[in-house]
Amino acid sequence: MVRIASACLTPHGDRSLHGPGLLFVISGPSGAGKDTLVDALRDRMPRLRYSVSATTREPRDGEIEGVHYFFLSRHQFEKMKAADGFLEWREYNGQYYGTPRHYVEETLASGFDLVMKPEVNGALAIKECFSDAVLIFLLPDRFSELRERLLARRTETNEEIARRLEIAHTEMHYVRSFDYLIINARDRKDDAINDLSAIVHAERFHIHRYTDDSLRRVEDS
Ligand code: 5GP
């Protein structure tokens, strides 16, 4: 009994006690800090897999094919869409973005936890495919901070920034459809990373995450 109990209490331990992997969907408006937070989470939890999205937008300086995105032409994207290759896809700011289906399904079925960071409508579409997915909404402490962050990163024109902020306003209406809300305040990045890690840890211990067999072993011991 002691052996089973201690194995159950090891979040990175015996995967056979658990069912499929957990899916963490980190969303929120452009400029909320999704990229930074997800990078920090993956540094802390190297076993956490990451779903690389596909997009038709141009790579930014330093972005690597297959690491940050799969950069596709519109034609390639549409072909993959027609072949049911995406779990979800969206047109955002005039470009396509989509979650490749195969990697997500394989990874979760193999029992590995997975993180992804689509925009808000994409996150809600993922929840429709995977009702167990954990949806986390990320926001700065002030709306005006979004604009400041987008300006500071110098990757978009002023026009693009204005469009992203317009989209951000509509995205706010969906906050109640999420499971968690994290405030990523200016100069408090570590707090937000700790909050995100705490959610991931807690979800791993949720009673519903254990297989029926493993719980029966605990009950019968
Ligand atoms: P960016 O151009 O700044 O990399 O991304 C623009 C928006 O698209 C961000 O809000 C980002 O989270 C979102 N995005 C990235 N990948 C996907 C995806 O696979 N699906 C959806 N729906 N949105 C995505």
Side-chain angles (χ1 to χ4, degrees):
M1 183 177 110
V2 171
R3 194 184 62 78
I4 293 169
S6 65
C8 289
L9 290 173
T10 310
H12 308 291
D14 186 354
R15 300 300 309 167
S16 67
L17 291 172
H18 300 266
L22 305 185
L23 177 54
F24 296 96
V25 183
I26 310 213
S27 193
S30 182
K34 298 189 289 278
D35 295 354
T36 316
L37 248 69
V38 169
D39 285 351
L41 183 72
R42 291 174 67 204
D43 281 349
R44 282 192 187 185
M45 300 182 180
R47 283 173 53 89
L48 193 60
R49 304 268 170 106
Y50 174 66
S51 164
V52 178
S53 293
T55 183
T56 57
R57 83 148 162 75
E58 289 294 308
R60 295 178 188 138
D61 276 355
E63 283 186 330
I64 300 166
E65 164 70 19
V67 174
H68 297 95
Y69 279 108
F70 297 110
F71 295 100
L72 305 183
S73 66
R74 273 186 105 80
H75 177 69
Q76 287 170 320
F77 195 102
E78 274 161 5
K79 226 171 119 185
M80 194 163 158
K81 180 156 70 86
D84 202 23
F86 293 114
L87 274 175
E88 62 75 36
W89 66 272
R90 285 291 176 275
E91 191 158 2
Y92 175 95
N93 203 13
Q95 300 293 341
Y96 287 142
Y97 293 81
T99 306
R101 175 186 296 281
H102 185 70
Y103 180 76
V104 174
E105 289 180 346
E106 286 273 295
T107 304
L108 294 176
S110 314
F112 289 97
D113 298 346
L114 181 67
V115 64
M116 60 172 65
K117 45 179 191 205
E119 48 67 67
V120 169
N121 287 301
L124 298 175
I126 291 288
K127 186 83 177 181
E128 279 178 26
C129 312
F130 296 94
S131 55
D132 271 0
V134 180
L135 262 56
I136 302 166
F137 200 96
L138 191 63
L139 270 184
D141 48 341
R142 292 174 292 117
F143 192 89
S144 59
E145 178 77 14
L146 289 177
R147 183 166 182 277
E148 285 162 33
R149 287 184 193 172
L150 290 173
L151 280 172
R153 75 185 193 192
R154 294 169 183 270
T155 48
E156 283 87 22
T157 62
N158 286 346
E159 238 180 33
E160 281 166 2
I161 290 176
R163 277 204 298 273
R164 282 178 183 244
L165 291 174
E166 241 174 70
I167 297 170
H169 272 293
T170 64
E171 289 179 319
M172 298 301 185
H173 295 124
Y174 297 98
V175 66
R176 286 176 195 264
S177 305
F178 281 66
D179 300 303
Y180 295 95
L181 169 64
I182 293 182
I183 304 298
N184 180 22
R186 179 189 272 259
D187 301 328
R188 306 284 297 268
K189 195 182 85 183
D190 283 353
D191 288 351
I193 295 166
N194 288 336
D195 294 342
L196 184 56
S197 307
I199 291 168
V200 171
H201 274 297
E203 286 287 338
R204 282 176 166 166
F205 287 107
H206 199 288
I207 201 72
H208 292 126
R209 305 298 187 187
Y210 291 87
T211 61
D212 199 42
D213 270 359
S214 64
L215 291 178
R216 228 176 264 135
R217 273 159 61 198
V218 173
E219 287 162 348
D220 293 347
S221 54

